[in-house]
Amino acid sequence: MATAKPSPQPIPRIAPREDLNPLRIAQIQFDMAAEYLKLDPGLRQILRSPKRVLEVSIPTKMDNGQVKVFTGYRVQHNVVRGPSKGGLRYHPNVTLDEVKALAMWMTWKTATVNIPYGGAKGGVICDPKRMSKSELERMTRRYASEILPLIGPEQDIPAPDVYTDQQTMAWIMDTYSMTKGYSALGVVTGKPLSIGGSEGRKEATARGVLVAVEEACKVKKIPFRGASVAIQGFGNVGSLVAKLFAEKKARVVAISDSRGGVFNSRGIDPLKAMRYKERAGTVVGMPGTSRISNDDLVTLKCEILVPAALENVITLNNVEQIKAKIVAEAANGPTTPHADEVLARRGIMLIPDILANAGGVTVSYFEWVQDLQSFFWPVEEVNAKLESVMRRAFLEVFESMRKHRTQMRTGAYVLAVGRVADAALVRGLFP
Ligand code: NAD
């Protein structure tokens, strides 16, 4: 059994300037936990690297008749605790190292909330905003068929991530099902309700963020009602964080997307912002708000900061200027290890990604369980189970942090890596 002993470790110094490679960041975070856990060097090597990496070429006929070949990846980091699970990202800046990091974070995330999955992630280098729906469909179906040998309800289960959605999942489910010759509901999660999606999945990541922030507010003795919130990224996750927080009477003072941000100290109505974004394609220019940049949003005076876009948003460049009392990482990997140290020194509570945004994978797990049983639960049941998982996970991470006299991220890592290490040790090494 992996046993944890208190032994505060400084972050390994990697470079005079910050290294923003997500994989190296993920490995630094892992190394810190491995030190606390005194993990065996062989096991460390196993857990530091992905189990499987698949790179595929995706020839796609574009609307103008020409063929364009996209590059895609599917990475499975670890499966000792169950099938691998993780989203699919479409973005021009996708790299293999990013997908490997995201897959590794998924392993720790599923272990943090203690659901029986490993971690995986997919990515395609493309610019979905410049593609038509039919181009996206053809690219998605070809990608699905290229990664088909690796995925399946008992093997590896994709879900939505940046610039992918329910429709993307429906195309993957259909491609997989047509190839197999039967309908396989459990091959992806985050599907539309009509083909085995779960009630509550759409809002699940945001609801998980809400529960984690409510718990953090109790610890920090900040009244949630009336607390000012700045949210970077107004997509699947960020827009619903804004909606759920506003429903609970927090004051959403700033939101943003890739084109910039908007601010109103009296509060922004998230539903109006959603409608405006639907029409205008951005939140920028929303009536009754003033414009701010994404950089200004991160350092805005507010109680709660929610990064809900991409990686490396809180770095040594801006961490000293952060004024929030709680940072809830709805996005994956928004804070660098050096910035983590500064946040901890400054007494700012960070709810790490592998905890804060784990509501999504938790309800994905519920969706998969419902698909496998062909028995579907009402939304109240899904939400109640999600809340209970998230509250328990928050308290376990908080307890781990206290026990090891460290910060929240390392507390979560020690808990999660310990669980994966225990499973790996008890299974033993094949052959
Ligand atoms: P999304 O594509 O729906 O939204 C992304 C948002 O970020 C958009 O509003 C976009 O305009 C904005 N954005 C893009 N580049 C930006 C930039 N440079 N600066 C500011 N904003 C920018 O994606 P999503 O599903 O909401 O995912 C957001 C984050 O949450 C990602 O880190 C993702 O990995 C993480 N996450 C998502 C889920 C999920 O269920 N979708 C679950 C867990 C974690």
Side-chain angles (χ1 to χ4, degrees):
M1 289 277 278
T3 50
K5 291 202 188 80
S7 61
Q9 293 292 319
I11 291 174
R13 293 288 153 189
I14 31 176
R17 288 186 52 218
E18 273 188 300
D19 186 341
L20 299 182
N21 177 300
L23 180 59
R24 282 195 290 274
I25 288 176
Q27 289 176 329
I28 288 171
Q29 292 164 340
F30 166 76
D31 288 343
M32 288 173 68
E35 276 300 309
Y36 273 87
L37 291 161
K38 302 271 173 276
L39 283 194
D40 167 80
L43 187 54
R44 279 186 209 210
Q45 277 184 58
I46 294 172
L47 297 181
R48 254 180 143 253
S49 307
K51 170 188 173 64
R52 281 196 190 109
V53 176
L54 180 64
E55 176 175 328
V56 294
S57 294
I58 313 163
T60 305
K61 190 171 272 182
M62 307 304 278
D63 290 344
N64 64 7
Q66 287 179 353
V67 171
K68 194 164 173 183
V69 181
F70 297 93
T71 300
Y73 307 102
R74 186 72 190 170
V75 174
Q76 296 172 350
H77 173 258
N78 190 280
V79 298
V80 292
R81 299 176 68 254
S84 49
K85 186 86 189 77
L88 168 62
R89 178 172 293 194
Y90 288 172
H91 199 278
N93 299 340
V94 163
T95 64
L96 180 54
D97 274 359
E98 180 189 47
V99 182
K100 285 181 179 175
L102 288 161
M104 192 171 181
W105 286 327
M106 285 307 297
T107 302
W108 314 138
K109 192 180 302 180
T110 54
T112 300
V113 284
N114 212 0
I115 55 179
Y117 280 144
K121 201 82 182 190
V124 176
I125 305 168
C126 64
D127 192 351
K129 286 185 184 169
R130 289 168 187 270
M131 294 170 70
S132 70
K133 190 170 176 187
S134 54
E135 288 171 341
L136 283 169
E137 175 170 0
R138 288 192 291 273
M139 184 188 78
T140 300
R141 287 183 178 280
R142 183 60 185 253
Y143 170 74
S145 106
E146 294 295 344
I147 65 163
L148 204 108
L150 286 197
I151 61 171
E154 290 171 343
Q155 203 175 346
D156 180 10
I157 306 130
D161 190 72
V162 174
Y163 297 142
T164 59
D165 57 16
Q166 292 196 356
Q167 179 62 73
T168 323
M169 295 306 113
W171 290 328
I172 296 177
M173 180 268 187
D174 185 68
T175 304
Y176 183 90
S177 299
M178 295 316 279
T179 311
K180 293 284 174 184
Y182 55 87
S183 288
L185 302 188
V187 65
V188 285
T189 59
K191 298 181 293 295
L193 277 177
S194 55
I195 51 169
S198 176
E199 296 284 358
R201 174 60 184 89
K202 197 162 169 266
E203 291 187 347
T205 308
R207 193 170 293 283
V209 175
L210 172 69
V211 174
V213 170
E214 281 176 339
E215 290 299 318
C217 282
K218 286 184 204 159
V219 172
K220 296 289 280 181
K221 302 199 177 3
I222 298 170
F224 185 85
R225 211 184 155 87
S228 51
V229 190
I231 303 167
Q232 187 194 48
F234 202 69
N236 291 326
V237 179
S239 64
L240 293 169
V241 166
K243 176 175 168 275
L244 295 184
F245 276 47
E247 279 171 10
K248 290 266 184 144
K249 306 291 179 221
R251 193 162 35 98
V252 178
V253 294
I255 54 175
S256 73
D257 57 35
S258 58
R259 300 215 215 145
V262 290
F263 170 76
N264 182 336
S265 61
R266 290 194 309 279
I268 296 168
D269 180 340
L271 295 179
K272 281 190 186 154
M274 284 180 200
R275 285 196 291 271
Y276 180 82
K277 187 172 164 83
E278 191 137 338
R279 281 201 313 277
T282 173
V283 294
V284 176
M286 183 183 165
T289 62
S290 51
R291 186 164 183 176
I292 54 166
S293 68
N294 265 300
D295 289 347
D296 291 344
L297 182 144
V298 174
T299 56
L300 199 69
K301 190 167 180 324
C302 62
E303 268 138 343
I304 301 160
L305 172 65
V306 184
L310 296 169
E311 293 94 84
N312 297 326
V313 170
I314 303 175
T315 67
L316 283 181
N317 285 337
N318 60 7
V319 64
E320 295 284 1
Q321 282 81 54
I322 288 193
K323 297 170 195 73
K325 296 177 185 132
I326 295 170
V327 176
E329 293 185 326
N332 286 305
T335 313
T336 63
H338 291 96
D340 267 352
E341 266 190 349
V342 178
L343 290 178
R345 169 170 58 69
R346 295 187 55 216
I348 297 170
M349 183 171 216
L350 175 112
I351 314 173
D353 45 11
I354 60 170
L355 171 64
N357 69 39
V361 75
T362 301
V363 175
S364 273
Y365 166 59
F366 297 160
E367 179 176 333
W368 177 79
V369 168
Q370 293 170 81
D371 289 339
L372 296 186
Q373 297 180 340
S374 296
F375 181 65
F376 293 86
W377 315 338
V379 67
E380 296 77 17
E381 190 175 342
V382 172
N383 288 346
K385 284 187 161 79
L386 167 65
E387 282 201 18
S388 133
V389 168
M390 288 301 300
R391 279 193 214 286
R392 192 194 59 217
F394 183 94
L395 296 176
E396 285 179 346
V397 167
F398 191 68
E399 181 50 35
S400 168
M401 174 197 79
R402 280 200 163 155
K403 185 170 154 199
H404 301 296
R405 279 179 271 132
T406 180
Q407 21 112 337
M408 283 285 276
R409 185 178 324 273
T410 308
Y413 266 71
V414 171
L415 185 72
V417 174
R419 282 176 177 155
V420 177
D422 282 352
L425 287 172
V426 78
R427 281 182 63 161
L429 188 61
F430 178 85

